Amino acid sequence: CNSVSLSIILNLKIMIQLHDKQFVPFISAKEIDFALTKLVAQVEDDFGDDTPIFIGVLNGAFMVAADFLKKYKSPCEVSFIKMASYEGTETTNSVKELIGINQDLSGRSVVIIEDIIDTGNTLEELKHLFKAQNVKHFKVATLFFKPEAYKKDIKIDYIGIRIPNKFIVGYGLDYDGLGRNLTEVYKLAE
């Protein structure tokens, strides 16, 4: 009986509550670090002497972009764009550009840094936006990718971790504003 109650207590400690939902551990900080190291190596190999501009998609990608750039040792530039497509745990299927890029990107190599790609709606909007800017290269790097949810034909050049179509929080991802500061990723408890 003591081992059963100890097990229950341990499970309660690792489950977190954000607003009205409970989340359980899903991806460790060590797994995230390994995936980012792999992404950086692939991007550095592809760009060689080119100086890409990395564009983080806010709010979610702020942690991914920061840790990615700490590992990227070649010359680069960084900027951010703010897009919104979620309300609560559901995608709205429409994407709003809240803060845009205010520099000339024509002839530049652009690498989008995303925290997660699920339906691809935000990615599609970004591709249209940057195509209009006549960029030399348009590449996409995402830490998390949900292949089951992806509905677009746009190539994702660099993928850190493929995950099932589950709602996740942590490492920049939120549930109604909470959870972005978590260093590990949690999935919605079933």
Side-chain angles (χ1 to χ4, degrees):
C1 187
N2 284 342
S3 63
V4 172
S5 47
L6 178 60
S7 174
I8 292 170
I9 290 169
L10 289 175
N11 285 336
L12 289 176
K13 282 187 174 183
I14 57 174
M15 188 177 290
I16 62 167
Q17 176 107 17
L18 301 174
H19 296 298
D20 60 334
K21 306 257 186 257
Q22 293 184 331
F23 296 85
V24 294
F26 184 52
I27 301 170
S28 72
K30 186 179 272 190
E31 290 172 289
I32 292 167
D33 185 63
F34 180 80
L36 277 173
T37 300
K38 181 181 83 170
L39 284 175
V40 168
Q42 291 171 341
V43 173
E44 281 186 322
D45 284 348
D46 284 356
F47 282 94
D49 293 335
D50 197 357
T51 302
I53 180 164
F54 294 108
I55 299 180
V57 182
L58 297 174
N59 285 338
F62 77 97
M63 287 180 90
V64 176
D67 288 347
F68 181 99
L69 290 163
K70 288 177 196 173
K71 294 175 180 291
Y72 195 85
K73 301 304 179 204
S74 301
C76 66
E77 293 179 35
V78 64
S79 190
F80 291 90
I81 189 167
K82 186 168 183 176
M83 310 291 278
S85 66
Y86 263 80
E87 288 179 8
T89 61
E90 301 294 322
T91 181
T92 63
N93 287 319
S94 68
V95 180
K96 295 180 236 168
E97 182 181 341
L98 305 176
I99 299 173
I101 302 291
N102 58 1
Q103 66 191 97
D104 181 16
L105 299 175
S106 58
R108 299 291 311 270
S109 294
V110 170
V111 180
I112 301 297
I113 297 179
E114 272 280 28
D115 51 348
I116 190 166
I117 294 176
D118 46 27
T119 63
N121 292 337
T122 301
L123 180 57
E124 184 175 59
E125 190 67 28
L126 288 166
K127 184 171 183 179
H128 289 13
L129 180 72
F130 289 105
K131 186 177 182 183
Q133 296 229 5
N134 296 317
V135 299
K136 178 170 70 173
H137 297 289
F138 176 81
K139 301 279 188 173
V140 178
T142 185
L143 180 57
F144 303 113
F145 175 57
K146 295 180 181 179
E148 296 166 23
Y150 193 61
K151 299 175 181 168
K152 306 298 177 188
D153 290 327
I154 301 166
K155 181 181 180 192
I156 302 169
D157 304 279
Y158 314 102
I159 297 171
I161 302 171
R162 294 172 193 272
I163 62 171
N165 193 13
K166 304 284 184 190
F167 187 79
I168 61 174
V169 298
Y171 201 72
L173 296 154
D174 75 307
Y175 169 51
D176 280 345
L178 296 181
R180 290 191 194 280
N181 61 320
L182 300 168
T183 57
E184 299 191 334
V185 171
Y186 293 76
K187 68 178 180 177
L188 188 61
E190 297 176 8

